[in-house]
């Protein structure tokens, strides 16, 4: 009878092997920690320090202790018309680079996805700008835009289209010229991401649509784009953040000139911090940029995801 009772109790009790072992969660944290620690040290830590610095009067070369001043930096920033003008320029720059960058990269990715001769060579050439540092790209394009011996003005003279102009110093041409460089420099990573998404699209779907009589545009709209939408959403959002926070490329090309026409918010904050020594005020600018871009990005993602659900 004892053995039968023990068997019944064993049958009623759940198997012990399905229960999580004590301390298993701590072991998982130890596995994640090597990847999490650099993020905490190099990203979260400086971000929190910058937020704290925004509420102080920290300045370079100051002998007195740094004081906590609350939201005074943000109050002054709200009245700083130069900063908000740089913010408007930054949005124009970010949109002006991100949209053409995506459209041109999409066309190039569709082309490179075809079964062309020397396709491997075309793909290698397409990612060359990605391998070049931004400083090198800026110097190269300064030579292209050179008003006296630049290849752009020389070409215009040879074609009889004028004597050329100083593209990077003109009030009306500086920002479009810099945007063109930004589009050229940022296309490769967008192309690679979209090309990877295209190659993951099942070829059988395209063949079935073609057998149903669907043309190229209809196949793109009903087969290619639905499969490519998540990749397009992710790369567009990342490009927008990256372009808005651009610094090195514009700094080398124009240093924010002429007359502040290409002074992006990151350049403005850099000048306040390292040229004028206003570390607390520059940190407040950084906080505002992070907050506004986070809100814009959240609205963008919500709209795109809502559109995807409705579709």
């Amino acid at each position: 009878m004892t053995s039968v009772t023990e068997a019944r109790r064993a049958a009623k009790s759940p198997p012990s092997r399905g229960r999580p072992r004590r301390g298993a969660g701590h072991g998982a944290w130890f596995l994640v920690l090597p990847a999490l620690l650099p993020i905490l040290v190099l990203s979260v830590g400086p971000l929190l320090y910058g937020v704290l610095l925004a509420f102080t009067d920290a300045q370079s070369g100051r002998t007195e202790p740094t004081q906590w001043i609350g939201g005074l930096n943000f109050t002054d920033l709200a009245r700083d018309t130069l900063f908000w003008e740089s913010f408007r320029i930054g949005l124009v720059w970010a949109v002006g680079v991100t949209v053409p960058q995506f459209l041109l990269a999409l066309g190039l990715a569709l082309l490179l996805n075809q079964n062309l001769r020397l396709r491997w060579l075309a793909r290698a050439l397409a990612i060359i700008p990605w391998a070049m540092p931004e400083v090198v790209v800026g110097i190269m394009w300064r030579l292209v835009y050179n008003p006296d011996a630049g290849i752009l003005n020389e070409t215009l003279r040879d074609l009889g289209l004028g004597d050329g102009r100083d593209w990077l110093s003109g009030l009306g041409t500086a920002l479009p010229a810099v945007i063109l460089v930004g589009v050229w420099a940022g296309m490769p990573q967008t192309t690679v991401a979209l090309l990877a998404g295209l190659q993951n699209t099942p070829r059988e779907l395209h063949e079935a649509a073609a057998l149903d009589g669907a043309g190229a545009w209809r196949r793109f709209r009903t087969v290619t784009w639905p499969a490519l939408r998540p990749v397009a959403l992710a790369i567009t959002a990342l490009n927008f953040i990256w372009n808005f926070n651009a610094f090195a490329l514009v700094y080398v090309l124009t240093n924010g000139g002429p007359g502040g026409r290409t002074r992006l918010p990151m350049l403005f904050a850099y000048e306040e911090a390292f040229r004028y020594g206003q570390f607390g005020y520059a940190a407040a600018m950084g906080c505002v940029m992070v907050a506004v871009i986070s809100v814009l990005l959240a609205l963008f993602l919500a709209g795109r995801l809502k559109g995807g659900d409705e579709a």
Side-chain angles (χ1 to χ4, degrees):
M1 294 295 294
T2 304
S3 60
V4 174
T5 304
E6 292 177 354
R8 289 177 178 176
R9 290 176 180 176
K12 291 180 180 179
S13 60
S16 58
R17 62 181 180 181
R19 297 176 181 175
R21 291 180 298 175
R22 186 174 299 177
H26 299 288
W29 277 108
F30 280 113
L31 294 175
V32 175
L33 190 60
L36 189 61
L37 191 60
I39 297 176
L40 294 175
V41 174
L42 301 177
S43 297
V44 179
L47 177 62
L48 295 178
Y49 178 73
V51 173
L52 293 176
L53 199 65
F55 294 92
T56 67
D57 60 351
Q59 300 177 8
S60 64
R62 181 173 178 172
T63 57
E64 301 178 358
T66 300
Q67 301 292 328
W68 182 271
I69 59 174
L72 184 59
N73 284 329
F74 294 95
T75 303
D76 295 339
L77 192 61
R79 298 192 294 262
D80 193 339
T81 57
L82 292 178
F83 171 72
W84 293 111
E85 176 63 17
S86 73
F87 206 95
R88 183 192 66 81
I89 294 172
L91 291 177
V92 172
W93 152 268
V95 175
V97 173
T98 302
V99 175
Q101 195 177 82
F102 174 78
L103 295 177
L104 293 174
L106 178 60
L108 183 58
L110 290 171
L111 179 63
L112 295 178
N113 195 43
Q114 303 299 318
N115 190 16
L116 305 175
R117 294 181 60 185
L118 300 178
R119 183 174 59 176
W120 62 271
L121 180 60
R123 290 180 177 180
L125 294 176
I127 64 174
I128 286 179
W130 197 7
M132 300 173 62
E134 287 187 320
V135 175
V136 176
V137 173
I139 294 173
M140 183 187 71
W141 278 90
R142 280 185 66 91
L143 296 176
V144 172
Y145 286 134
N146 187 279
D148 298 322
I151 186 174
L152 178 58
N153 282 339
E154 289 293 332
T155 302
L156 293 177
R157 294 188 188 102
D158 293 341
L159 295 176
L161 299 178
D163 296 331
R165 58 193 307 172
D166 193 349
W167 299 94
L168 295 177
S169 298
L171 296 177
T173 59
L175 186 58
V178 173
I179 287 176
L180 176 62
V181 180
V183 172
W184 181 85
M187 269 184 58
Q189 63 265 31
T190 308
T191 302
V192 170
L194 295 176
L195 183 59
L198 289 173
Q199 292 181 339
N200 287 329
T201 305
R203 189 172 299 273
E204 293 79 8
L205 297 179
H206 289 279
E207 295 175 354
L211 290 175
D212 290 339
W217 168 247
R218 186 178 177 184
R219 290 199 304 270
F220 173 80
R221 184 172 56 86
T222 59
V223 178
T224 304
W225 180 246
L228 199 61
R229 185 186 294 117
V231 178
L233 176 64
I235 195 63
T236 304
L238 291 175
N239 281 343
F240 182 81
I241 296 174
W242 179 263
N243 291 327
F244 186 82
N245 292 326
F247 173 79
L249 187 62
V250 181
Y251 182 80
V252 174
L253 284 170
T254 63
N255 196 18
R261 295 299 177 91
T262 60
R263 185 185 292 147
L264 305 182
M266 196 61 66
L267 280 171
F268 197 99
Y270 170 82
E271 291 179 352
E272 287 293 326
F274 298 104
R275 179 177 294 182
Y276 305 114
Q278 301 294 329
F279 294 131
Y281 193 56
M285 293 181 184
C287 291
V288 172
M289 285 188 284
V290 170
V292 173
I293 291 303
S294 298
V295 171
L296 292 177
L297 184 60
L299 294 175
F300 170 76
L301 292 176
R304 294 294 298 270
L305 291 175
K306 183 179 179 180
D309 294 339
E310 291 177 354

